[in-house]
Amino acid sequence: MSTPVDSPDQGGIATLDRELEELLKEEQIEPGDHERFSHYVKKDKILESAITGKPVRALCGKKWTPGRDPEKFPVCPTCKEIYESLQG
Protein backbone atom coordinates (compact mmCIF):
# COMPACT_ATOMS: atom_id res chain seq x y z
CA MET A 1 0.00 0.00 0.00
CA SER A 2 1.41 3.38 -0.92
CA THR A 3 0.90 6.66 0.88
CA PRO A 4 0.59 10.13 -0.67
CA VAL A 5 4.20 10.84 0.36
CA ASP A 6 5.35 7.75 -1.55
CA SER A 7 3.43 8.85 -4.66
CA PRO A 8 3.84 12.64 -5.04
CA ASP A 9 1.87 12.68 -8.29
CA GLN A 10 -1.24 11.56 -6.42
CA GLY A 11 -1.34 14.46 -3.94
CA GLY A 12 -0.38 14.68 -0.30
CA ILE A 13 2.49 16.48 1.35
CA ALA A 14 4.72 16.52 -1.73
CA THR A 15 2.01 18.28 -3.73
CA LEU A 16 1.47 20.83 -0.97
CA ASP A 17 5.21 21.48 -0.74
CA ARG A 18 5.42 21.95 -4.51
CA GLU A 19 2.44 24.34 -4.54
CA LEU A 20 3.86 26.34 -1.61
CA GLU A 21 7.21 26.60 -3.36
CA GLU A 22 5.50 27.94 -6.50
CA LEU A 23 3.52 30.50 -4.48
CA LEU A 24 6.66 31.73 -2.72
CA LYS A 25 8.45 32.03 -6.05
CA GLU A 26 5.58 34.09 -7.49
CA GLU A 27 5.52 36.39 -4.44
CA GLN A 28 9.19 37.23 -4.81
CA ILE A 29 8.75 38.90 -8.18
CA GLU A 30 7.00 42.26 -8.00
CA PRO A 31 5.19 43.86 -10.91
CA GLY A 32 5.76 47.54 -11.48
CA ASP A 33 8.24 50.06 -12.78
CA HIS A 34 11.13 47.61 -13.21
CA GLU A 35 9.97 47.46 -16.82
CA ARG A 36 10.43 51.23 -17.22
CA PHE A 37 13.69 51.79 -15.31
CA SER A 38 17.15 50.36 -14.80
CA HIS A 39 17.75 49.68 -11.12
CA TYR A 40 20.92 49.60 -9.03
CA VAL A 41 21.82 46.10 -7.82
CA LYS A 42 25.09 44.68 -6.51
CA LYS A 43 27.09 43.17 -9.39
CA ASP A 44 27.54 39.85 -7.62
CA LYS A 45 23.75 39.56 -7.23
CA ILE A 46 23.27 40.14 -10.97
CA LEU A 47 25.75 37.36 -11.74
CA GLU A 48 24.09 35.05 -9.20
CA SER A 49 20.69 35.76 -10.75
CA ALA A 50 22.02 35.02 -14.24
CA ILE A 51 23.28 31.64 -13.03
CA THR A 52 20.43 30.60 -10.72
CA GLY A 53 17.45 32.52 -12.10
CA LYS A 54 16.69 33.88 -8.63
CA PRO A 55 15.26 37.40 -8.35
CA VAL A 56 17.41 40.33 -7.20
CA ARG A 57 16.54 43.28 -4.95
CA ALA A 58 17.44 46.80 -6.09
CA LEU A 59 18.45 49.63 -3.76
CA CYS A 60 14.90 50.98 -3.98
CA GLY A 61 13.51 47.64 -2.79
CA LYS A 62 12.14 46.45 -6.13
CA LYS A 63 12.54 42.68 -6.51
CA TRP A 64 12.52 41.08 -9.95
CA THR A 65 14.42 38.71 -12.22
CA PRO A 66 16.67 40.69 -14.58
CA GLY A 67 16.52 39.78 -18.22
CA ARG A 68 16.97 42.84 -20.40
CA ASP A 69 19.63 45.40 -21.32
CA PRO A 70 19.66 48.09 -18.59
CA GLU A 71 21.42 50.52 -20.94
CA LYS A 72 18.15 50.97 -22.85
CA PHE A 73 16.25 52.49 -19.91
CA PRO A 74 16.62 55.50 -17.60
CA VAL A 75 17.93 54.92 -14.08
CA CYS A 76 15.33 54.53 -11.35
CA PRO A 77 15.22 57.89 -9.53
CA THR A 78 14.86 56.23 -6.11
CA CYS A 79 17.83 53.92 -6.70
CA LYS A 80 19.91 56.87 -7.92
CA GLU A 81 19.02 58.96 -4.86
CA ILE A 82 19.89 56.12 -2.47
CA TYR A 83 23.15 55.38 -4.30
CA GLU A 84 24.22 59.04 -4.20
CA SER A 85 23.43 59.27 -0.48
CA LEU A 86 25.64 56.24 0.15
CA GLN A 87 28.53 57.83 -1.74
CA GLY A 88 28.95 60.59 0.74
Side-chain angles (χ1 to χ4, degrees):
M1 180 174 185
S2 68
T3 65
V5 174
D6 296 333
S7 305
D9 294 332
Q10 296 178 4
I13 295 173
T15 300
L16 292 174
D17 285 344
R18 195 169 42 249
E19 288 175 0
L20 178 59
E21 194 172 299
E22 288 174 18
L23 284 173
L24 290 173
K25 185 177 179 183
E26 288 174 12
E27 281 184 355
Q28 293 175 351
I29 301 172
E30 300 173 5
D33 68 358
H34 66 276
E35 297 296 332
R36 298 183 316 172
F37 294 115
S38 293
H39 294 274
Y40 288 174
V41 178
K42 291 182 178 182
K43 286 183 182 181
D44 61 326
K45 296 296 182 185
I46 295 287
L47 179 60
E48 180 182 336
S49 178
I51 294 169
T52 65
K54 291 182 180 179
V56 295
R57 184 171 302 274
L59 287 178
C60 67
K62 180 62 66 183
K63 197 166 191 178
W64 84 106
T65 304
R68 59 189 174 79
D69 182 2
E71 299 292 322
K72 294 181 179 180
F73 299 88
V75 173
C76 166
T78 306
C79 280
K80 185 175 182 178
E81 182 180 321
I82 293 169
Y83 179 77
E84 289 174 351
S85 73
L86 294 173
Q87 294 302 308

